[in-house]
Amino acid sequence: MKQRTWPSKSDGQPRFTAFPFANKQTRPPKTPSIFHFQVSLSSSSSSKSNQYHHDFSQLPYDVLLKIAANFTLPNLRAASLVCKSWRDALRPLREAMLFLRWGKRFKHGRGGVKSNLAKALDSFLKGAARGSTLAMVDAGLVYWEMGRREEGMSLYRKAAELGDPAAQCNLGISLLQANPPDPEEAVKWLYKASVAGHVRAQYQLALSLHKGHGLNSNLQEPAKWYLRAAEGGYVRAMYNTALCYSVGEGLMQSHKLARKWMKRAADRGHSKAQLEHGLSLFSEGEMMKAVVYLELASRAGQAAADPVKNVILQQMSNSSRDRVMLLANNWRVLPSSH
């Protein structure tokens, strides 16, 4: 699904160019653990002690399956050790994990099998039929890649209603790209995933609110979610957070914090951030560092980096130019959520 980093002029929002030289200074959501699962069950069962007497083995199978629908294999194994009743009830979800594993092998051509999208979809659908939201999301992704968007959205919605943050995020993005789009419902699902800690959803929610979607959108709300996603390791959100701090849009204006988040985005491979950070270093007289970031930005397709980079290189000795190119060639992107 195509994404943009900042609302464009056509969206009625301000565009950002290179910063002026003056005044310059994953976590991905965790799957609920079996401990939290047991605690939540204990809390909910306290009001129904006469019905279950804290005997969770009496929990109806369909309720247990809904609760555990987005469990990963380790949590399913742990839950299955609670009692025989749970072990029997969770058997379909454990089987779903096997189909999920084979689906990923067929999709990516791993584990000694050739890539086969049709077989991958079949495996994911078998896992989805056993109640796993993880398999539903993967099947939805394959449908989306095949151009069968309605079928993909149907699976996203089913998993989203079972509380899967990744499905809620994908459903929200799908609704934004639907024909016609439904931004109001999209924001609703993105918000649910964002509150659960899904960093991509936090970024997409911020972007949607920034474009004016949502009943009570304002500058503070998108900036808050940009910052939340940036703190979770989402690179595009780091860049947008830097822009917010730079001009004081939704966040207190701070060139120091703008520089901090711009550098973090640049070090994680964001080409526009590399350009902006390189220009910032140039304005501060840090020529060697500036030309490295500008060279990286240029290699990533940011043509605006070339004029300043070439001016700096012309003023350098041959040994300094060689050193700069060596640094650029050996540069490695830092890990990030996305």
Coordinates of all heavy atoms in Angstrom, one line a residue, residues 214-284:
G214 N -11.1 13.2 10.5 CA -11.4 13.1 12.0 C -12.2 14.3 12.4 O -12.0 15.4 12.0
L215 N -13.1 14.0 13.3 CA -14.1 15.1 13.8 C -13.4 16.2 14.6 O -13.7 17.3 14.5 CB -15.2 14.4 14.6 CG -16.1 13.4 13.8 CD1 -17.1 12.8 14.8 CD2 -16.8 14.1 12.6
N216 N -12.4 15.8 15.4 CA -11.8 16.8 16.3 C -10.3 16.9 16.0 O -9.5 17.1 17.0 CB -12.0 16.3 17.8 CG -13.5 16.3 18.1 OD1 -14.2 17.2 17.9 ND2 -13.9 15.1 18.7
S217 N -9.9 16.8 14.8 CA -8.5 16.9 14.5 C -8.0 18.3 14.7 O -8.7 19.3 14.4 CB -8.3 16.5 13.0 OG -9.0 17.3 12.1
N218 N -6.8 18.4 15.2 CA -6.1 19.7 15.3 C -4.6 19.5 15.2 O -4.2 18.3 15.0 CB -6.5 20.3 16.7 CG -6.2 19.4 17.8 OD1 -5.1 18.9 18.0 ND2 -7.2 19.1 18.7
L219 N -3.8 20.5 15.3 CA -2.4 20.3 15.0 C -1.7 19.5 16.1 O -0.8 18.8 15.9 CB -1.7 21.7 14.9 CG -2.1 22.6 13.7 CD1 -1.4 23.9 13.8 CD2 -1.8 21.9 12.4
Q220 N -2.3 19.6 17.4 CA -1.6 18.9 18.5 C -1.8 17.4 18.3 O -0.9 16.6 18.7 CB -2.2 19.4 19.8 CG -1.8 20.7 20.3 CD -2.4 21.9 19.4 OE1 -3.6 21.7 19.0 NE2 -1.7 22.9 19.2
E221 N -3.0 16.9 17.8 CA -3.3 15.5 17.8 C -2.3 14.8 16.8 O -1.7 13.8 17.1 CB -4.7 15.3 17.4 CG -5.7 15.2 18.5 CD -5.4 14.0 19.5 OE1 -5.5 12.9 19.0 OE2 -5.0 14.3 20.6
P222 N -2.2 15.3 15.5 CA -1.3 14.6 14.6 C 0.2 14.6 15.1 O 0.9 13.6 15.0 CB -1.4 15.3 13.3 CG -2.1 16.6 13.6 CD -3.0 16.3 14.8
A223 N 0.6 15.8 15.7 CA 1.9 15.9 16.2 C 2.2 14.9 17.3 O 3.2 14.2 17.4 CB 2.2 17.3 16.7
K224 N 1.2 14.7 18.2 CA 1.3 13.7 19.3 C 1.5 12.3 18.8 O 2.4 11.6 19.3 CB 0.0 13.7 20.2 CG 0.0 12.7 21.3 CD -1.3 12.7 22.1 CE -2.4 11.9 21.3 NZ -3.6 11.8 22.1
W225 N 0.8 11.9 17.7 CA 0.9 10.6 17.2 C 2.2 10.4 16.4 O 2.7 9.3 16.3 CB -0.4 10.2 16.4 CG -1.5 9.9 17.4 CD1 -2.6 10.7 17.5 CD2 -1.7 8.9 18.3 NE1 -3.5 10.2 18.5 CE2 -2.9 9.1 19.0 CE3 -0.9 7.8 18.7 CZ2 -3.4 8.2 20.0 CZ3 -1.3 7.0 19.7 CH2 -2.6 7.2 20.3
Y226 N 2.6 11.5 15.7 CA 3.9 11.4 15.0 C 5.0 11.1 16.0 O 5.8 10.3 15.8 CB 4.2 12.8 14.3 CG 3.5 13.0 13.0 CD1 3.0 14.3 12.7 CD2 3.4 12.0 12.0 CE1 2.4 14.6 11.5 CE2 2.7 12.3 10.8 CZ 2.3 13.5 10.5 OH 1.7 13.8 9.3
L227 N 5.0 11.9 17.1 CA 6.0 11.7 18.1 C 5.9 10.3 18.7 O 7.0 9.6 19.0 CB 5.8 12.7 19.2 CG 6.8 12.7 20.4 CD1 8.3 12.8 19.9 CD2 6.5 13.8 21.4
R228 N 4.7 9.8 19.0 CA 4.5 8.4 19.6 C 5.1 7.4 18.6 O 5.8 6.5 19.0 CB 3.1 8.2 19.8 CG 2.8 6.9 20.6 CD 2.9 7.2 22.1 NE 1.9 8.2 22.6 CZ 0.7 7.9 22.9 NH1 0.2 6.7 22.8 NH2 -0.1 8.9 23.4
A229 N 4.8 7.5 17.3 CA 5.4 6.6 16.3 C 6.9 6.7 16.2 O 7.6 5.7 16.0 CB 4.7 6.8 15.0
A230 N 7.4 7.9 16.3 CA 8.8 8.1 16.2 C 9.5 7.5 17.3 O 10.6 6.8 17.2 CB 9.1 9.6 16.1
E231 N 9.0 7.6 18.5 CA 9.6 7.0 19.7 C 9.5 5.5 19.6 O 10.3 4.8 20.2 CB 8.8 7.5 21.0 CG 9.1 8.9 21.3 CD 8.2 9.5 22.4 OE1 7.1 8.8 22.7 OE2 8.5 10.5 23.0
G232 N 8.6 4.9 18.8 CA 8.5 3.5 18.6 C 9.4 3.0 17.5 O 9.4 1.8 17.2
G233 N 10.1 3.9 16.8 CA 11.1 3.5 15.8 C 10.6 3.6 14.4 O 11.3 3.1 13.5
Y234 N 9.5 4.4 14.1 CA 9.0 4.5 12.7 C 9.7 5.6 12.1 O 9.5 6.8 12.5 CB 7.5 4.7 12.8 CG 6.8 4.2 11.5 CD1 6.5 2.9 11.2 CD2 6.6 5.2 10.4 CE1 5.9 2.5 10.1 CE2 6.0 4.8 9.3 CZ 5.6 3.4 9.1 OH 5.0 3.1 7.9
V235 N 10.4 5.4 11.0 CA 11.3 6.4 10.4 C 10.6 7.5 9.8 O 11.0 8.7 10.0 CB 12.2 5.7 9.3 CG1 13.1 6.8 8.7 CG2 13.1 4.6 9.9
R236 N 9.5 7.3 9.1 CA 8.8 8.4 8.5 C 8.2 9.4 9.6 O 8.2 10.6 9.4 CB 7.6 7.9 7.6 CG 8.1 7.2 6.4 CD 6.8 6.8 5.5 NE 7.2 6.0 4.3 CZ 7.2 4.7 4.3 NH1 6.9 4.0 5.3 NH2 7.6 4.1 3.1
A237 N 7.8 8.8 10.7 CA 7.4 9.6 11.8 C 8.5 10.4 12.4 O 8.2 11.5 12.9 CB 6.7 8.7 12.9
M238 N 9.7 9.9 12.4 CA 10.8 10.6 12.9 C 11.0 11.9 12.1 O 11.2 13.0 12.6 CB 12.1 9.8 12.9 CG 12.1 8.6 13.8 SD 13.7 7.7 13.6 CE 13.3 6.2 14.6
Y239 N 10.9 11.7 10.8 CA 11.1 12.9 9.9 C 10.0 13.9 10.1 O 10.3 15.1 10.3 CB 11.1 12.4 8.5 CG 11.1 13.5 7.4 CD1 12.3 14.2 7.2 CD2 10.0 13.9 6.7 CE1 12.4 15.2 6.3 CE2 10.1 14.9 5.7 CZ 11.3 15.5 5.5 OH 11.4 16.5 4.6
N240 N 8.8 13.5 10.2 CA 7.7 14.4 10.4 C 7.7 15.1 11.8 O 7.3 16.2 12.0 CB 6.3 13.7 10.2 CG 6.0 13.5 8.7 OD1 6.9 13.7 7.9 ND2 4.8 13.1 8.4
T241 N 8.2 14.3 12.8 CA 8.3 14.9 14.1 C 9.4 16.0 14.1 O 9.2 17.1 14.7 CB 8.8 13.8 15.1 OG1 7.7 12.8 15.2 CG2 9.0 14.4 16.5
A242 N 10.4 15.8 13.3 CA 11.5 16.8 13.2 C 10.9 18.1 12.6 O 11.2 19.2 13.0 CB 12.6 16.3 12.4
L243 N 10.0 17.9 11.6 CA 9.4 19.0 10.9 C 8.5 19.8 11.9 O 8.4 21.0 11.9 CB 8.6 18.6 9.7 CG 9.4 18.0 8.5 CD1 8.5 17.5 7.4 CD2 10.5 18.9 8.0
C244 N 7.7 19.0 12.7 CA 6.8 19.6 13.7 C 7.6 20.5 14.7 O 7.2 21.6 15.0 CB 6.0 18.6 14.4 SG 4.7 17.8 13.4
Y245 N 8.7 20.0 15.2 CA 9.5 20.7 16.1 C 10.2 21.9 15.4 O 10.4 23.0 16.1 CB 10.6 19.8 16.7 CG 10.2 19.0 17.9 CD1 10.3 17.6 17.9 CD2 9.7 19.6 19.0 CE1 9.9 16.9 19.0 CE2 9.3 18.9 20.2 CZ 9.4 17.5 20.1 OH 9.0 16.8 21.2
S246 N 10.5 21.8 14.2 CA 11.2 22.8 13.5 C 10.4 24.1 13.4 O 10.9 25.2 13.5 CB 11.7 22.4 12.1 OG 12.3 23.4 11.4
V247 N 9.1 23.9 13.0 CA 8.2 25.1 12.8 C 7.2 25.3 13.9 O 6.4 26.2 13.9 CB 7.5 24.9 11.4 CG1 8.5 24.9 10.3 CG2 6.6 23.7 11.4
G248 N 7.3 24.4 14.9 CA 6.4 24.6 16.0 C 4.9 24.2 15.7 O 4.0 24.8 16.2
E249 N 4.8 23.2 14.8 CA 3.4 22.8 14.4 C 2.9 21.7 15.3 O 3.3 20.5 15.1 CB 3.4 22.4 12.9 CG 2.0 22.0 12.4 CD 2.0 21.9 10.9 OE1 2.4 22.9 10.2 OE2 1.4 20.9 10.4
G250 N 2.1 22.0 16.2 CA 1.6 20.9 17.1 C 2.5 20.6 18.3 O 2.1 19.9 19.2
L251 N 3.7 21.0 18.2 CA 4.7 20.8 19.3 C 5.5 22.1 19.5 O 5.5 22.9 18.6 CB 5.7 19.7 18.9 CG 5.2 18.2 18.7 CD1 6.3 17.4 18.1 CD2 4.7 17.7 20.0
M252 N 6.0 22.2 20.7 CA 6.8 23.4 21.0 C 8.0 23.5 20.0 O 8.7 22.5 19.8 CB 7.3 23.3 22.4 CG 8.3 24.3 22.8 SD 9.1 23.9 24.5 CE 9.9 22.4 24.1
Q253 N 8.2 24.7 19.5 CA 9.3 24.9 18.5 C 10.6 24.7 19.2 O 10.9 25.2 20.3 CB 9.2 26.2 17.9 CG 10.2 26.4 16.8 CD 10.1 27.7 16.0 OE1 9.5 28.7 16.6 NE2 10.5 27.8 14.8
S254 N 11.4 23.8 18.7 CA 12.7 23.5 19.3 C 13.7 23.0 18.2 O 13.5 21.9 17.6 CB 12.6 22.4 20.3 OG 13.9 21.9 20.7
H255 N 14.6 23.8 17.8 CA 15.6 23.5 16.8 C 16.5 22.3 17.3 O 16.9 21.5 16.5 CB 16.5 24.6 16.4 CG 15.7 25.7 15.7 ND1 15.2 25.5 14.5 CD2 15.4 27.0 16.1 CE1 14.6 26.6 14.1 NE2 14.7 27.5 15.1
K256 N 16.7 22.2 18.6 CA 17.5 21.1 19.1 C 16.8 19.8 18.9 O 17.4 18.8 18.5 CB 17.8 21.4 20.6 CG 18.6 20.3 21.3 CD 18.8 20.6 22.8 CE 19.7 19.5 23.4 NZ 19.9 19.8 24.9
L257 N 15.5 19.7 19.3 CA 14.8 18.5 19.1 C 14.5 18.2 17.6 O 14.5 17.0 17.2 CB 13.4 18.6 19.9 CG 13.5 18.6 21.4 CD1 12.2 18.8 22.0 CD2 14.1 17.2 21.9
A258 N 14.3 19.2 16.8 CA 14.2 19.0 15.4 C 15.4 18.4 14.8 O 15.3 17.4 14.0 CB 13.9 20.3 14.7
R259 N 16.6 18.9 15.2 CA 17.8 18.3 14.7 C 18.0 16.9 15.2 O 18.5 16.0 14.5 CB 19.0 19.2 15.3 CG 20.4 18.9 14.6 CD 21.4 19.8 15.2 NE 22.7 19.7 14.5 CZ 23.6 18.8 14.6 NH1 23.4 17.8 15.5 NH2 24.7 18.8 13.9
K260 N 17.6 16.6 16.5 CA 17.8 15.3 17.0 C 17.0 14.2 16.2 O 17.5 13.2 15.8 CB 17.3 15.2 18.5 CG 17.0 13.9 19.0 CD 16.3 14.0 20.4 CE 15.6 12.7 20.8 NZ 14.8 12.8 22.0
W261 N 15.7 14.6 15.9 CA 14.8 13.6 15.2 C 15.2 13.5 13.7 O 15.1 12.5 13.1 CB 13.4 14.0 15.4 CG 12.9 13.6 16.7 CD1 12.5 14.4 17.8 CD2 12.7 12.2 17.2 NE1 12.1 13.7 18.9 CE2 12.2 12.4 18.6 CE3 12.9 11.0 16.7 CZ2 11.9 11.3 19.3 CZ3 12.6 9.9 17.5 CH2 12.1 10.0 18.8
M262 N 15.7 14.7 13.2 CA 16.1 14.6 11.8 C 17.3 13.7 11.6 O 17.4 12.9 10.6 CB 16.4 16.0 11.3 CG 16.5 16.1 9.8 SD 15.0 15.7 8.9 CE 14.0 17.2 9.3
K263 N 18.3 13.8 12.5 CA 19.5 12.9 12.5 C 19.1 11.5 12.6 O 19.6 10.6 11.9 CB 20.5 13.3 13.5 CG 21.8 12.5 13.5 CD 22.8 12.9 14.5 CE 24.1 12.2 14.3 NZ 24.0 10.7 14.3
R264 N 18.1 11.2 13.5 CA 17.7 9.8 13.7 C 17.1 9.2 12.5 O 17.3 8.1 12.1 CB 16.7 9.7 14.9 CG 17.3 9.9 16.3 CD 16.3 9.6 17.4 NE 17.0 9.7 18.7 CZ 16.4 9.4 19.8 NH1 15.1 9.0 19.8 NH2 17.0 9.6 21.0
A265 N 16.2 10.0 11.8 CA 15.6 9.6 10.6 C 16.7 9.4 9.5 O 16.7 8.4 8.7 CB 14.6 10.6 10.1
A266 N 17.7 10.3 9.4 CA 18.7 10.3 8.4 C 19.6 9.0 8.6 O 19.9 8.3 7.6 CB 19.6 11.5 8.5
D267 N 19.9 8.7 9.9 CA 20.7 7.6 10.2 C 20.0 6.2 9.9 O 20.6 5.2 9.8 CB 21.2 7.6 11.6 CG 22.2 8.7 11.9 OD1 22.8 9.1 10.9 OD2 22.4 9.1 13.1
R268 N 18.7 6.3 9.7 CA 17.9 5.1 9.4 C 17.5 5.1 8.0 O 16.6 4.3 7.6 CB 16.7 5.0 10.4 CG 17.2 4.6 11.8 CD 16.2 5.0 12.9 NE 16.7 4.6 14.2 CZ 17.6 5.2 14.9 NH1 18.2 6.3 14.4 NH2 18.0 4.7 16.0
G269 N 18.1 5.9 7.1 CA 17.9 5.8 5.7 C 16.9 6.7 5.1 O 16.6 6.5 3.9
H270 N 16.3 7.6 5.8 CA 15.3 8.5 5.2 C 16.0 9.5 4.3 O 16.7 10.4 4.8 CB 14.5 9.2 6.3 CG 13.2 9.8 5.8 ND1 13.2 10.9 5.0 CD2 11.9 9.4 6.0 CE1 12.0 11.3 4.7 NE2 11.2 10.4 5.3
S271 N 15.8 9.5 3.0 CA 16.6 10.3 2.1 C 16.4 11.8 2.3 O 17.3 12.6 2.2 CB 16.4 9.9 0.6 OG 15.0 10.1 0.3
K272 N 15.1 12.2 2.5 CA 14.8 13.6 2.7 C 15.5 14.1 4.0 O 16.0 15.2 4.1 CB 13.3 13.9 2.8 CG 12.6 13.7 1.4 CD 11.2 14.0 1.5 CE 10.5 13.9 0.2 NZ 9.0 14.2 0.3
A273 N 15.5 13.2 5.0 CA 16.1 13.6 6.3 C 17.6 13.7 6.1 O 18.3 14.6 6.7 CB 15.8 12.6 7.3
Q274 N 18.2 12.9 5.3 CA 19.6 13.0 5.0 C 20.0 14.3 4.3 O 21.0 14.9 4.6 CB 20.1 11.8 4.1 CG 20.1 10.5 4.9 CD 20.2 9.3 3.9 OE1 20.0 9.4 2.7 NE2 20.5 8.1 4.5
L275 N 19.1 14.7 3.4 CA 19.3 16.0 2.7 C 19.2 17.2 3.8 O 20.1 18.0 3.8 CB 18.2 16.2 1.6 CG 18.1 17.6 1.0 CD1 19.4 18.0 0.4 CD2 16.9 17.7 0.1
E276 N 18.1 17.1 4.6 CA 17.9 18.2 5.5 C 19.0 18.3 6.6 O 19.5 19.3 6.9 CB 16.6 18.0 6.3 CG 15.3 18.0 5.4 CD 15.0 19.4 4.9 OE1 15.7 20.4 5.1 OE2 13.9 19.5 4.2
H277 N 19.4 17.1 7.0 CA 20.5 17.0 8.1 C 21.8 17.5 7.5 O 22.6 18.2 8.1 CB 20.6 15.6 8.6 CG 21.5 15.6 9.8 ND1 21.4 16.3 11.0 CD2 22.6 14.8 10.1 CE1 22.3 16.1 11.8 NE2 23.1 15.1 11.3
G278 N 22.1 17.1 6.2 CA 23.3 17.5 5.5 C 23.4 19.1 5.4 O 24.4 19.7 5.6
L279 N 22.2 19.7 5.0 CA 22.2 21.1 4.9 C 22.4 21.8 6.2 O 23.0 22.9 6.3 CB 20.8 21.5 4.3 CG 20.6 21.1 2.8 CD1 19.2 21.5 2.3 CD2 21.7 21.7 1.9
S280 N 21.8 21.2 7.3 CA 21.9 21.7 8.6 C 23.4 21.7 9.0 O 23.9 22.7 9.6 CB 21.1 20.9 9.6 OG 21.2 21.4 10.9
L281 N 24.1 20.6 8.8 CA 25.5 20.5 9.1 C 26.3 21.5 8.3 O 27.3 22.1 8.9 CB 26.0 19.1 8.9 CG 25.5 18.0 9.8 CD1 25.8 16.6 9.3 CD2 26.1 18.1 11.2
F282 N 26.0 21.7 7.1 CA 26.7 22.7 6.2 C 26.6 24.1 6.8 O 27.5 24.8 6.9 CB 26.1 22.6 4.8 CG 26.6 23.7 3.9 CD1 28.0 23.7 3.5 CD2 25.8 24.7 3.5 CE1 28.4 24.7 2.7 CE2 26.3 25.7 2.7 CZ 27.6 25.7 2.3
S283 N 25.3 24.4 7.3 CA 25.1 25.7 7.9 C 25.9 26.0 9.1 O 26.2 27.1 9.5 CB 23.6 26.0 8.1 OG 23.2 25.2 9.2
E284 N 26.2 24.8 9.8 CA 27.0 24.9 11.1 C 28.5 24.8 10.9 O 29.3 24.8 11.8 CB 26.5 23.8 12.0 CG 25.1 24.0 12.4 CD 24.5 22.7 13.1 OE1 25.3 21.7 13.3 OE2 23.3 22.7 13.4

